[in-house]
Amino acid sequence: MEKLMSQRIQILKDKMLSAPRYASIEQARIITRVYQENEHLSIPKKRALSLKAAMEELEIGFEKEELIVGNRTKGVRYGVVFPESGCSWVNNEFETLPTRPQDQFHVKEEDIQEFREKIYPYWKGKSMEDVIKHHGGQEIQSIAKVVKINQKDHAQGHICPDSALWLKMGPLGIMNQAQEKLKTCEESQKEFYECVVLVMQGACTFMKRYHDMIMENIDEVEEPYQQSLRTVANNCLNLTKRPPETFHEAVQSLWFLFVLLHMESNASSFSPGRMDQYLYPYYQKDIESGKISMEDALDILECLWLKFNQIVYLRNQNSAKYFAGFPIGFNIAIGGEDENGNDTYNELSLLCLQCQYDLGLPQPNLSVRLNRNSSHELMQKAIEVVSKGSGMPQFFNDEAIVHALMELGIEKKDALNYAIVGCVELTTHGNNLGWSDAAMFNLNKALELTLNHGKCLLTHEQIGLDLGGLDTYQTFEDLEKAFQQQIDYFIDKMMQCEVIVEKAHQDCLPTAFLSSVIDDCLENGLDVTKGGAKYNLSGIQMIQIANLADSLAAMKKLVYDDQVIDAKELLAALQSDFKGYEIIQTMLLNKVPKYGNDVEWVDRLGAKWAEYFRSRMKDYTNYRGGPYHTGMYTVSAHVPMGENVGASPDGRNALTPLADGGMSPVYGRDLKGPTAVLKSVSRLNNSLTTNGGLLNMKFLPEFFETKNGMNKFENFLRAFVDLKVPHIQFNVVRREDLEDAQIRPQLHKSLTIRVAGYTAYFVELAHKLQDEIIERTTYDNI
């Protein structure tokens, strides 16, 4: 694949990468003022009015080279302080943002002062973060070593809006529909529709402001950019009056949708979904009429790709460890089956791959849907992009996913049209609040407590049930029975916390704009946070099945079956982090087969407990009335979650990272090659990963240098499809390049790496996470 990036795109990319990253309080200032001026109004009304005010007042800007405009701040990659969702953590951490280990931001002293004097005093005790702490802070903290409850200080994203509906109607069309609904709606629905009208009025104003600013400054812009900017300005004006008609207008409209979603909620993982499908009619019409060339379309798309990299998310210091490298999660899925089950891809699919090939940036998170009928052309183009080493695209398997979604209760047409949000989380298009990042459950910490009388090996605190320990369990079955009870105990506590969090979202963060682009909400006059979507799921991540399988296999074989290690002595070894017990640690590491090597009994040990955990989810209903389900991915949580776990029976030392990915083997233990890994992973039932599953692999760049290597890689991907593994992704990089980037980061600023279900700049990751990535197994053959 030849690099086709134009000079225009190179200039914009260089400008973006050189721009400093700041924390911004501009929108916080506007939100606070609107709330203070409207204390007598309800929270939904104040939310709508403050979003409208932000659309009308936030400072905007543009670059003369841009073909797509719009951002939620004038500066690129700014982190937005959002007081409605979280203010206390900002107050505690503002000064440390430039120096913290992960995801740093510059700060301005005058912003800190204004925040402390004018913004924080109003929000103290009122933000969603404070509401959750008040109602469930102690409960959440009491289980934090085992369960990380998410969404506590920011709005819920992880959603794929109905982008096709937005393109079909535009903000004016949606506003008109809400006004029609107002004429006949129930009194209880009235406020919802009024809020939709307000935010759509604001959306039209926001778009027109870009038109006005460009035209006010057009005479200062030299050719050849003046003509293209006039087109951009006209596009913005047209979108305030009607739906898009051209490909350029459609792409601009799509970007405005995502900017406004972020302005409303300041959350991660709003995903465009199957962009190559719903944008294709606009592309096809303009190509056939001669209005644009393929090169023009690529320039427009690459401008959009750059915009996806201009929004990042400001997290607190602890969350930044779990979600390291600004994974904002604009996930685009290309290819895959249509509603009739036929494989589909088009020129736009290939142009999306070209964008990633040219730019190699962390966003959007590009995904390719594969199936038995996937074309040789699409696969080879995708593999060429993989070989470039940006960690993209990742691959999803229709053969594994569609049926699993249907078993979850998703209609067939929606399952066939599945999209991906954020990292690897599965969703349906435009009709689903999946809450896919509800919580992470550390199965390995639950096992640790089971082995040590409910006490933490690191702090010696009693945080779990005392059901016995390795010194009391007479059989492996006794151990498993206690493990089951420990899991049940923490699941019950987790679900109590989830109710508190979801209720707080309903009470504090209603989302009229988002609700207007999620099917059924506008029809029913019901906000998406209150269950207005067609589907209302909540997803829990199981952490980390590879370590769990290896630990259980080691105890079963060496302690209970072969009796070569005394159970009490193993407990002492774990309590001392193997100091003085090095021989036992060596046996645990080397005398038992490991997950990821196609050893069925070991693989099944992990799958058994994942299946048990999944079965327990069926006992619960979330606060919106929908089901819970499970995923197996970590983002970057395998590093901080490992810091919560003492020495484990798989031979792992205390505080060290757990396995990466979610379905991946522990790094360095997959000794039988990549195909054996696929076979091990295939033993995990796909119902376990309807919330997303993640398999990481690392290959050397040399593998892709020959046509034979490329064809072997395609055959490997086709084996992935046949084995019905739901997901796979690749890093293509040399160890020595990563080590050099640690030592001389200034020379590797553009080096991107696949962390978990997302790509990040390697030099922006904390050192511990860099070390873990370097240590992952690298393959030079299949």
Side-chain angles (χ1 to χ4, degrees):
M1 187 182 285
E2 182 186 353
K3 196 168 188 177
L4 299 177
M5 184 167 62
S6 68
Q7 183 181 9
R8 175 196 299 270
I9 303 301
Q10 186 64 60
I11 291 169
L12 286 170
K13 181 181 178 183
D14 291 344
K15 282 184 177 182
M16 182 186 73
L17 292 178
S18 63
R21 185 172 57 242
Y22 278 89
S24 169
I25 66 165
E26 185 185 11
Q27 191 172 355
R29 181 188 303 128
I30 295 169
I31 292 170
T32 304
R33 189 199 76 227
V34 171
Y35 267 69
Q36 289 171 328
E37 292 172 350
N38 296 278
E39 289 286 10
H40 61 290
L41 295 179
S42 67
I43 287 179
K45 268 287 173 68
K46 285 187 277 195
R47 286 267 293 155
L49 285 168
S50 62
L51 175 59
K52 182 172 182 285
M55 294 171 180
E56 295 167 347
E57 299 173 27
L58 282 173
E59 188 177 7
I60 62 173
F62 68 93
E63 299 291 341
K64 63 185 181 183
E65 300 87 0
E66 287 188 309
L67 299 176
I68 302 297
V69 294
N71 203 339
R72 59 179 180 164
T73 57
K74 186 177 181 182
V76 300
R77 300 187 84 209
Y78 275 29
V80 173
V81 174
F82 207 77
E84 293 164 285
S85 52
C87 228
S88 295
W89 80 261
V90 180
N91 184 57
N92 294 333
E93 299 183 21
F94 218 144
E95 284 87 354
T96 65
L97 290 176
T99 57
R100 66 187 191 176
Q102 187 64 63
D103 294 5
Q104 298 170 353
F105 291 86
H106 296 293
V107 297
K108 297 176 182 176
E109 286 300 322
E110 60 267 29
D111 287 350
I112 297 176
Q113 183 177 349
E114 182 181 351
F115 175 81
R116 292 257 163 75
E117 292 178 359
K118 297 182 179 179
I119 296 172
Y120 182 61
Y122 176 81
W123 289 99
K124 186 177 181 181
K126 295 180 184 176
S127 73
M128 186 184 72
E129 174 192 16
D130 296 322
V131 170
I132 290 172
K133 277 184 180 176
H134 175 73
H135 290 290
Q138 286 187 326
E139 291 87 345
I140 291 170
Q141 188 57 39
S142 72
I143 61 172
K145 290 283 180 69
V146 176
V147 182
K148 184 181 185 296
I149 301 291
N150 293 322
Q151 319 296 355
K152 302 189 297 295
D153 60 14
H154 60 271
Q156 169 58 240
H158 293 84
I159 198 164
C160 181
D162 193 340
S163 300
L165 173 74
W166 171 260
L167 295 177
K168 180 181 177 182
M169 299 185 69
L172 194 62
I174 293 173
M175 182 174 72
N176 290 338
Q177 185 176 343
Q179 287 174 328
E180 285 299 310
K181 288 283 188 182
L182 265 171
K183 296 175 182 177
T184 57
C185 70
E186 302 287 334
E187 186 64 29
S188 61
Q189 300 169 314
K190 185 178 178 183
E191 184 175 71
F192 172 79
Y193 291 121
E194 289 172 345
C195 290
V196 172
V197 171
L198 286 171
V199 297
M200 290 304 154
Q201 288 172 341
C204 290
T205 301
F206 185 70
M207 295 174 183
K208 187 174 185 299
R209 288 178 67 208
Y210 278 94
H211 164 270
D212 295 348
M213 173 176 260
I214 291 170
M215 296 313 295
E216 286 168 8
N217 294 278
I218 195 73
D219 292 336
E220 300 171 19
V221 177
E222 73 275 18
E223 288 291 355
Y225 298 118
Q226 193 175 103
Q227 183 178 350
S228 61
L229 270 177
R230 289 184 189 277
T231 301
V232 171
N234 287 333
N235 288 348
C236 294
L237 186 61
N238 290 339
L239 293 173
T240 69
K241 301 175 181 178
R242 58 163 172 77
E245 293 178 354
T246 68
F247 178 70
H248 197 171
E249 286 180 351
V251 175
Q252 178 65 72
S253 178
L254 185 69
W255 177 241
F256 274 138
L257 169 63
F258 285 93
V259 171
L260 296 175
L261 286 170
H262 278 277
M263 284 172 63
E264 179 182 49
S265 294
N266 191 41
S268 61
S269 304
F270 291 107
S271 289
R274 303 184 74 188
M275 203 173 79
D276 63 337
Q277 303 301 308
Y278 59 75
L279 280 181
Y280 185 67
Y282 300 93
Y283 169 84
Q284 186 179 32
K285 176 185 170 187
D286 284 5
I287 288 287
E288 290 176 355
S289 69
K291 190 174 186 70
I292 61 171
S293 66
M294 190 180 295
E295 290 75 19
D296 296 331
L298 181 63
D299 258 9
I300 292 167
L301 279 177
E302 292 194 337
C303 280
L304 175 66
W305 246 243
L306 291 169
K307 299 305 281 188
F308 283 128
N309 287 273
Q310 291 183 11
I311 291 181
V312 300
Y313 182 59
L314 175 63
R315 299 179 185 273
N316 66 48
Q317 181 171 319
N318 185 54
S319 287
K321 291 195 297 183
Y322 287 79
F323 303 91
F326 311 103
I328 196 69
F330 291 115
N331 201 306
I332 290 173
I334 62 173
E337 295 174 303
D338 61 18
E339 288 191 358
N340 299 314
N342 300 312
D343 181 60
T344 176
Y345 80 104
N346 53 47
E347 284 183 4
L348 207 51
S349 317
L350 302 180
L351 284 179
C352 289
L353 288 169
Q354 185 71 51
C355 289
Q356 187 59 35
Y357 186 90
D358 286 348
L359 291 164
L361 293 169
Q363 294 295 325
N365 198 355
L366 186 60
S367 304
V368 175
R369 284 181 46 177
L370 298 180
N371 55 70
R372 282 173 291 181
N373 299 315
S374 291
S375 76
H376 172 70
E377 180 186 23
L378 179 68
M379 293 184 78
Q380 283 294 311
K381 293 288 186 186
I383 293 166
E384 284 185 63
V385 182
V386 167
S387 73
K388 288 281 287 182
S390 70
M392 285 189 257
Q394 58 182 334
F395 298 91
F396 290 81
N397 188 351
D398 293 353
E399 309 294 339
I401 290 168
V402 172
H403 182 69
L405 290 177
M406 289 170 61
E407 285 186 334
L408 186 61
I410 305 296
E411 290 182 24
K412 184 175 182 179
K413 66 181 179 66
D414 290 327
L416 285 165
N417 195 34
Y418 76 87
I420 302 100
V421 294
C423 296
V424 296
E425 300 95 300
L426 305 174
T427 189
T428 53
H429 240 283
N431 56 15
N432 185 351
L433 179 53
W435 211 274
S436 56
D437 195 25
M440 296 175 170
F441 192 104
N442 194 335
L443 288 162
N444 293 280
K445 189 66 179 182
L447 179 63
E448 174 190 313
L449 298 174
T450 304
L451 302 180
N452 194 41
H453 295 268
K455 290 184 179 179
C456 174
L457 283 174
L458 303 173
T459 65
H460 312 297
E461 293 175 271
Q462 188 75 43
I463 60 175
L465 299 177
D466 183 357
L467 302 164
L470 263 176
D471 51 344
T472 66
Y473 304 135
Q474 296 300 306
T475 65
F476 187 68
E477 289 69 29
D478 290 343
L479 189 160
E480 286 192 305
K481 183 179 178 181
F483 185 40
Q484 178 179 317
Q485 290 177 258
Q486 200 76 252
I487 290 173
D488 290 346
Y489 171 75
F490 281 101
I491 285 177
D492 289 339
K493 286 191 168 293
M494 174 176 70
M495 293 310 189
Q496 294 167 26
C497 296
E498 283 300 321
V499 169
I500 293 167
V501 171
E502 283 217 36
K503 185 178 188 306
H505 278 259
Q506 286 189 14
D507 294 341
C508 301
L509 297 177
T511 52
F513 186 85
L514 171 60
S515 298
S516 72
V517 287
I518 296 295
D519 297 355
D520 291 5
C521 293
L522 206 58
E523 183 63 32
N524 299 329
L526 189 62
D527 194 274
V528 70
T529 62
K530 293 189 174 180
K534 180 178 180 180
Y535 300 111
N536 285 281
L537 305 172
S538 287
I540 310 291
Q541 275 64 266
M542 300 181 283
I543 314 289
Q544 191 63 293
I545 210 68
N547 296 92
L548 182 67
D550 291 354
S551 289
L552 291 171
M555 290 187 291
K556 184 177 190 304
K557 180 170 176 58
L558 298 180
V559 176
Y560 292 101
D561 290 352
D562 297 351
Q563 297 183 5
V564 294
I565 296 177
D566 179 75
K568 292 179 182 178
E569 196 173 9
L570 176 56
L571 180 57
L574 299 177
Q575 290 170 338
S576 66
D577 193 19
F578 298 114
K579 292 181 178 64
Y581 295 91
E582 288 77 9
I583 293 175
I584 285 180
Q585 184 178 24
T586 301
M587 293 173 68
L588 295 170
L589 287 168
N590 299 309
K591 294 296 185 182
V592 190
K594 301 292 186 285
Y595 169 82
N597 293 285
D598 190 20
V599 180
E600 184 169 1
W601 74 269
V602 176
D603 301 335
R604 282 298 311 156
L605 273 176
K608 171 183 176 179
W609 287 102
E611 288 163 8
Y612 176 74
F613 190 95
R614 174 69 184 92
S615 71
R616 283 301 322 277
M617 293 299 101
K618 296 178 181 178
D619 297 338
Y620 298 89
T621 301
N622 67 27
Y623 196 67
R624 289 163 289 126
Y628 282 93
H629 63 142
T630 54
M632 299 174 76
Y633 63 91
T634 63
V635 197
S636 60
H638 56 288
V639 176
M641 280 197 152
E643 292 172 356
N644 281 336
V645 180
S648 46
D650 59 346
R652 176 193 145 275
N653 282 107
L655 309 177
T656 58
L658 299 171
D660 69 275
M663 302 184 296
S664 309
V666 177
Y667 52 87
R669 296 182 187 173
D670 45 332
L671 306 176
K672 298 293 179 66
T675 304
V677 172
L678 285 187
K679 288 182 177 178
S680 286
V681 175
S682 71
R683 296 192 173 102
L684 296 168
N685 190 295
N686 289 318
S687 67
L688 302 173
T689 52
T690 49
N691 191 49
L694 195 155
L695 174 58
N696 251 333
M697 286 190 174
K698 192 162 78 173
F699 281 82
L700 290 173
E702 290 80 4
F703 183 82
F704 301 90
E705 290 177 355
T706 66
K707 186 174 182 180
N708 182 51
M710 298 284 284
N711 288 333
K712 285 174 72 174
F713 201 82
E714 179 179 332
N715 290 335
F716 178 70
L717 285 176
R718 292 195 184 277
F720 152 79
V721 171
D722 292 341
L723 286 168
K724 297 187 177 181
V725 174
H727 168 273
I728 197 167
Q729 63 183 32
F730 306 95
N731 274 316
V732 178
V733 66
R734 297 178 187 86
R735 180 187 181 104
E736 52 267 33
D737 292 339
L738 297 179
E739 290 173 337
D740 190 60
Q742 275 192 319
I743 299 167
R744 300 186 295 171
Q746 71 279 4
L747 301 181
H748 300 270
K749 286 184 177 180
S750 62
L751 174 62
T752 53
I753 199 77
R754 202 73 180 166
V755 179
Y758 65 95
T759 291
Y761 293 108
F762 183 76
V763 298
E764 290 186 350
L765 300 174
H767 204 276
K768 282 186 178 180
L769 184 53
Q770 290 179 341
D771 287 343
E772 184 275 315
I773 291 169
I774 289 170
E775 291 303 320
R776 293 177 190 173
T777 304
T778 304
Y779 301 108
D780 60 3
N781 211 331
I782 292 174

